[in-house]
């Protein structure tokens, strides 16, 4: 509970992360969207990029690296990374399922879908499968209430979920067939 | 067919591309405003239109614009609020996904009216794929001379970019949004100073919802007076409604304000009634923050009049027997739903989303969640119901931003209308764990 408050950070990467040239150009493009001296505004966007580039989560090394790029103090990055719920500050599975469990989704059966996924993957909410493929989380309203129940995985919203549809989705991710 | 002015072309194939959008008359409002109108005239048209903010509070947009401070040599900013996180609301997403250029066109005209040369669309981080859609559309607008330097040879310059959030409902509150856009935690600021005076980077700033900004396009095209003819009374224009819950046909609908709630729920053109042939139990008509209405107050007001889809009619009866239009997040409950469970669910949402800055909200939302959790799970007692009302009073009005109020009001409303269902969870714990309560009885009128 109380996600926007004190979350300890401790997880580390062993290697220092580094954006490749293409990623760095994208970082610079984003920074240039803000006036001189206001590059800190690019922080959240860059954290999303860093998460994508460095294993789906933010280690202390990654956050320090982002601070270096934006020329701000590491604490300014930690503060933000721990406030926003989308950022993972612990390692996660390759695919993170975030199932919405807020009112409108609950009205049409999100609780059952969550239980179904738990049983299917053999994990509880908050856990990652042993093969490191899936992490299951719950999320608050994701803006798909009329197409519920739903889950988000990366940039993709899977909507109108039924047990059969969940089976198909999991199968697709398992086989690497992720062109939804 | 109801009148559609925002989503008029949503079914035209390829409308998300510049070419098709332009062919359907897109960007006309920019031509008209920049070539034929002064910024002040655009503001005037918006004032005449009676447009009220579509983000939830319903504050007149034209009036808000007239408040922006204009100190010499200080930049002003227009921020579009695409944070859309109020449970039950998914209309902005629909508009941006389907017709991204409509928002961009609205941003250009509105920035011109306000004298902004740099504007941002702040979008919730979970809508990352829509951010891609918007960036693509923005690039097309630049390529065709609608953005950048010296637009239409007028000397007006405008840069527009999109910034994602990172998952936080509170960033929909305008000052938290500004903090977030500055690359910080989303803690709301104390007002005053209002953003109109000191907003983004300490400069005068206007924050408007996606739908409000999009509505500026038809207002400029057809004139404020024409727009004001649509709708009913002070609820001018059309409204996007996000319909969810136990409906035959949930989804996003553009309605002309003034249609009846009954028509909206049961009409063929709209939601087509309650799913699975069930009965209506309750409705939250404006997003999770507004009071819940029991079935007998949904289609009729307490005085027996038809309830209409307008700001005024949905609020008819005040907190005693009314609710609010809010963000237009229209959530419908069938007879099998448990109001205690849903109230707990929403309380959990607010406890999760409180930014933690003010203790009444941080602690209060957590307490409400705990107490409702035990009531729902058959472990509560009678005093808990009154305790909730007490916690409520301690939060209401004692916090920097209205999130605390938004958490407190729905709980108060649920207890007001569904007290017997809450009490049943205490008096008949075992049964309450096995089945749902069903419909509440309509109180007999006091003569
Ligand atoms: C907790 C909280 C959450 C809010 N979330 C949103 C939101 O997601 N989208 C939005 O447009 N307005 C939201 N608002 C309202 C904004 O503060 C602001 O009033 C609105 O963006 C102004 O735009 P409008 O006048 O065009 O409606 C929220 C307000 C509060 C207190
Ligand atoms: S409640 Fe689940 S997406 Fe809105």
């Amino acid at each position: 509970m109380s996600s926007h408050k004190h979350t300890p950070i401790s997880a580390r990467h062993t290697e220092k992360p580094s954006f490749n040239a293409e990623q760095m150009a994208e970082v610079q493009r984003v920074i240039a969207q803000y006036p001189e001296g206001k590059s800190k505004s690019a922080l959240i966007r860059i954290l999303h990029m860093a998460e994508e580039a460095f294993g789906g989560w933010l280690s202390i090394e990654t956050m320090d690296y982002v601070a270096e790029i934006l020329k701000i103090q590491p604490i300014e990055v930690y503060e933000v990374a721990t406030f926003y719920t989308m950022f993972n500050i612990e390692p996660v599975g390759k695919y993170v399922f975030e199932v919405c469990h807020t009112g409108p989704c609950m009205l049409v059966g999100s609780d059952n879908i969550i239980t179904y996924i738990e049983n299917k993957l053999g994990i509880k909410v908050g856990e990652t499968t042993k093969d490191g493929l899936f992490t299951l989380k719950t999320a608050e309203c994701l803006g798909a209430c009329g197409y519920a129940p739903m889950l988000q995985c990366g940039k993709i919203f899977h909507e109108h979920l039924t047990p059969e549809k969940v089976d198909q989705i999991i199968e697709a991710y398992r086989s690497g067939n992720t062109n939804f | 067919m109801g009148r559609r002015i925002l989503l008029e072309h949503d079914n035209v194939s390829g409308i998300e591309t510049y070419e098709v959008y332009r062919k359907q008359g897109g960007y006309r409002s920019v031509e008209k405003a920049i070539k034929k109108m002064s910024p002040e005239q655009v503001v005037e048209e918006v004032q005449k239109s009676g447009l009220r903010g579509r983000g939830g509070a319903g504050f007149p947009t034209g009036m808000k614009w007239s408040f922006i401070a204009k100190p010499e040599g200080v930049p002003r900013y227009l921020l579009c609020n695409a944070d859309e996180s109020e449970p039950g609301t998914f209309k902005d997403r629909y508009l941006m996904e389907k017709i991204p250029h409509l928002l961009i066109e609205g941003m250009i005209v509105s920035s011109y009216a306000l004298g902004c040369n740099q504007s941002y669309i702040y979008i919730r981080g979970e809508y990352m794929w829509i951010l891609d859609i918007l960036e693509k559309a923005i690039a097309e607008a630049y390529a065709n001379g609608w953005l950048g330097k010296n637009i239409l040879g007028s000397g007006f310059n405008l840069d527009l970019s999109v910034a994602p959030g990172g998952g936080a409902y509170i960033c929909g509150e305008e000052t938290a949004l500004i903090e977030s856009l500055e690359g910080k935690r989303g803690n709301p600021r104390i007002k005053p100073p209002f953003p109109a005076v000191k907003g983004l980077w300490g400069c005068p700033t206007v924050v408007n919802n996606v739908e409000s900004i999009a509505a500026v396009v038809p207002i400029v095209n057809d004139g404020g007076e024409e727009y004001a003819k649509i709708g009913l009374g002070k609820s001018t224009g059309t409204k996007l409604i996000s319909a969810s819950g136990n409906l035959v046909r949930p989804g996003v609908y553009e309605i002309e304000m003034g249609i009846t709630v009954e028509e909206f729920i049961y009409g063929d053109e709209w939601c087509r009634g309650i799913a699975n042939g069930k009965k209506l139990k309750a409705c939250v008509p404006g997003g999770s923050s507004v009071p819940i209405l029991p079935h007998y107050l949904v289609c009729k007001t307490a005085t027996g009049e038809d309830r209409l889809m307008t700001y005024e009619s949905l609020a008819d009866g005040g907190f005693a027997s009314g609710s609010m239009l809010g963000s237009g997040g229209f959530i419908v409950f069938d007879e099998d739903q448990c109001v205690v469970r849903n109230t707990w669910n929403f309380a959990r949402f607010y406890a999760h989303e409180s930014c933690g800055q003010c203790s009444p909200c941080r602690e209060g939302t957590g307490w409400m969640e705990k107490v409702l959790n035990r009531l729902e799970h058959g472990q509560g007692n009678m005093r808990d119901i009154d305790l909730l009302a007490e916690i409520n009073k301690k939060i209401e009005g004692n916090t920097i931003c209205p999130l605390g109020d938004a958490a407190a009001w729905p709980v108060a409303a649920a207890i007001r209308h569904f007290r017997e269902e809450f009490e049943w969870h205490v008096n008949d714990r075992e049964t309450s764990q096995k089945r749902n309560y069903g419909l509440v009885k309509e109180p007999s009128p006091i003569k």
Side-chain angles (χ1 to χ4, degrees):
Chain A
M1 206 44 61
S2 306
S3 61
H4 298 309
K5 288 136 251 175
H6 326 290
T7 325
I9 53 166
S10 57
R12 293 185 165 269
H13 267 133
T14 44
E15 276 168 45
K16 186 176 179 319
S18 174
F19 285 124
N20 64 28
E22 193 185 323
Q23 292 163 337
M24 202 53 170
E26 181 63 4
V27 166
Q28 294 304 338
R29 183 184 73 84
V30 170
I31 291 175
Q33 292 173 337
Y34 300 95
E36 224 19 76
K38 307 294 182 203
S39 53
K40 184 174 171 180
S41 286
L43 175 57
I44 294 177
R45 180 98 182 248
I46 295 176
L47 285 176
H48 282 297
M49 294 174 178
E51 218 180 53
E52 201 176 314
F54 310 123
W57 64 288
L58 299 170
S59 65
I60 292 180
E61 284 73 15
T62 304
M63 290 188 267
D64 291 351
Y65 174 59
V66 171
E68 214 178 279
I69 295 174
L70 289 173
K71 302 189 185 67
I72 56 179
Q73 295 302 316
I75 183 72
E76 295 176 79
V77 180
Y78 306 160
E79 272 185 353
V80 164
T82 53
F83 182 84
Y84 294 95
T85 50
M86 284 181 80
F87 297 122
N88 301 308
I89 45 179
E90 297 269 318
V92 285
K94 183 165 178 200
Y95 301 110
V96 181
F97 282 0
E98 305 206 47
V99 192
C100 173
H101 68 169
T102 311
C105 277
M106 184 183 75
L107 291 179
V108 294
S110 60
D111 289 351
N112 292 343
I113 289 292
I114 294 167
T115 311
Y116 184 81
I117 301 176
E118 283 183 332
N119 292 338
K120 171 110 189 159
L121 295 177
I123 52 173
K124 291 274 163 213
V125 170
E127 295 176 351
T128 300
T129 51
K130 281 210 185 73
D131 59 6
L133 212 48
F134 298 104
T135 298
L136 179 62
K137 290 183 171 187
T138 52
E140 297 297 347
C141 181
L142 291 167
C145 335
Y147 326 114
M150 65 83 64
L151 72 81
Q152 172 169 28
C153 181
K155 276 190 188 180
I156 297 173
F157 276 22
H158 298 282
E159 300 172 332
H160 298 295
L161 294 179
T162 56
E164 298 74 46
K165 196 155 174 201
V166 167
D167 287 348
Q168 288 165 13
I169 292 165
I170 290 176
E171 202 37 57
Y173 282 113
R174 276 199 178 126
S175 63
N177 227 338
T178 53
N179 277 333
F180 293 101
Chain B
M1 241 342 234
R3 180 107 181 243
R4 305 168 96 224
I5 51 179
L6 297 179
L7 303 182
E8 195 183 349
H9 302 300
D10 66 340
N11 287 324
V12 175
S13 109
I15 192 72
E16 69 286 354
T17 65
Y18 174 74
E19 285 72 30
V20 176
Y21 181 73
R22 177 77 175 139
K23 229 178 253 156
Q24 298 292 333
Y27 290 98
R28 265 188 304 143
S29 71
V30 180
E31 282 171 321
K32 181 168 176 187
I34 292 189
K35 290 193 183 151
K36 301 203 188 117
M37 297 166 81
S38 67
E40 292 73 26
Q41 282 172 321
V42 179
V43 176
E44 230 169 81
E45 290 306 317
V46 174
Q47 277 173 334
K48 278 192 220 154
S49 75
L51 174 67
R52 294 164 69 174
R54 303 296 195 228
F59 192 82
T61 306
M63 197 190 298
K64 184 190 259 187
W65 287 11
S66 71
F67 291 154
I68 193 168
K70 298 181 172 171
E72 204 51 45
V74 181
R76 305 191 274 278
Y77 296 101
L78 170 64
L79 309 180
C80 172
N81 190 342
D83 192 59
E84 187 155 74
S85 312
E86 170 92 358
T89 317
F90 48 102
K91 65 183 174 85
D92 296 339
R93 159 189 171 185
Y94 185 84
L95 193 150
M96 293 186 286
E97 243 184 324
K98 288 275 182 176
I99 326 175
H101 282 285
L102 180 62
L103 175 59
I104 294 164
E105 180 175 354
M107 285 300 280
I108 300 170
V109 181
S110 307
S111 300
Y112 173 75
L114 292 161
C116 307
N117 302 114
Q118 171 75 68
S119 298
Y120 296 97
I121 298 168
Y122 179 93
I123 189 166
R124 65 179 302 182
E126 295 89 344
Y127 286 175
M128 202 55 97
W129 87 95
I130 304 179
L131 181 145
D132 293 342
I133 293 174
L134 289 172
E135 284 201 335
K136 191 157 168 262
I138 287 174
E140 290 178 318
Y142 268 103
N144 288 282
W146 301 104
L147 283 169
K149 295 244 170 323
N150 196 18
I151 299 169
L152 300 181
S154 62
F156 171 57
N157 305 329
L158 177 64
D159 283 309
L160 175 64
S161 30
V162 195
Y169 166 65
I170 192 60
C171 291
E173 192 282 331
E174 56 183 7
T175 61
L177 184 154
I178 291 170
E179 286 284 304
S180 183
L181 195 53
E182 291 181 358
K184 299 185 230 157
R185 296 166 79 93
N187 289 344
R189 295 175 181 173
I190 293 175
K191 296 192 262 194
F194 287 91
V197 177
K198 264 190 166 67
L200 184 65
W201 305 309
C203 302
T205 301
V206 164
V207 182
N208 271 133
N209 175 257
V210 171
E211 187 187 346
S212 315
I213 299 218
V216 174
V217 173
I219 289 170
V220 169
N221 278 336
D222 307 332
E225 276 166 24
E226 278 304 306
Y227 185 87
K229 285 183 195 155
I230 310 167
L232 189 72
K234 285 189 174 165
S235 296
T236 62
T238 63
K239 176 84 190 80
L240 299 183
I241 304 292
S242 321
S244 68
N246 308 114
L247 288 164
V248 173
R249 204 168 64 142
V252 175
Y253 297 100
E254 179 171 11
I255 59 150
E256 177 167 352
M257 280 203 264
I259 68 168
T260 65
V261 172
E262 185 160 1
E263 198 181 335
F264 182 68
I265 297 179
Y266 297 98
D268 260 4
E269 195 178 326
W270 320 104
C271 304
R272 297 187 183 168
I274 312 304
N276 306 316
K278 297 219 156 93
K279 290 198 199 78
L280 170 71
K281 172 166 181 172
C283 173
V284 174
S288 61
S289 304
V290 310
I292 188 170
L293 295 172
H295 64 92
Y296 53 88
L297 287 173
V298 176
C299 299
K300 296 267 180 225
T301 66
T303 50
E305 280 165 48
D306 279 347
R307 206 183 281 282
L308 311 176
M309 299 288 278
T310 61
Y311 290 99
E312 293 75 22
S313 182
L314 283 168
D316 187 298
F319 277 10
S321 65
S323 183
M324 287 192 279
L325 177 60
S327 66
F330 196 92
I331 312 166
V332 171
F333 300 63
D334 72 24
E335 60 194 295
D336 291 343
Q337 304 300 333
C338 172
V339 167
V340 179
R341 185 166 185 79
N342 195 72
T343 310
W344 164 56
N345 182 296
F346 282 165
R348 182 181 67 190
F349 170 82
Y350 290 103
H352 185 266
E353 296 302 331
S354 169
C355 81
Q357 190 177 207
C358 311
S359 25
C361 172
R362 182 187 61 234
E363 305 301 326
T365 52
W367 272 105
M368 283 201 296
E369 190 275 328
K370 274 201 197 93
V371 173
L372 281 159
N373 188 349
R374 63 176 185 247
L375 279 167
E376 160 63 9
H377 292 102
Q379 285 145 13
N381 53 52
M382 282 302 180
R383 237 200 70 63
D384 282 341
I385 302 173
D386 299 317
L387 181 62
L388 284 169
E390 270 166 47
I391 302 172
N392 252 313
K393 285 203 202 90
K394 301 241 157 69
I395 303 178
E396 225 183 313
N398 292 326
T399 54
I400 292 174
C401 90
L403 186 139
D405 300 338
W409 293 341
V411 177
I415 295 175
R416 190 179 315 121
H417 298 302
F418 297 89
R419 196 175 182 103
E420 52 183 90
E421 188 167 338
F422 279 84
E423 290 179 351
W424 178 70
H425 275 71
V426 175
N427 289 334
D428 202 348
R429 293 170 198 226
E430 267 177 40
T431 324
S432 78
Q433 296 309 295
K434 286 188 205 122
R435 67 168 175 88
N436 287 317
Y437 186 74
L439 301 181
V440 281
K441 284 190 288 296
E442 178 171 358
S444 42
I446 304 159
K447 286 274 157 61

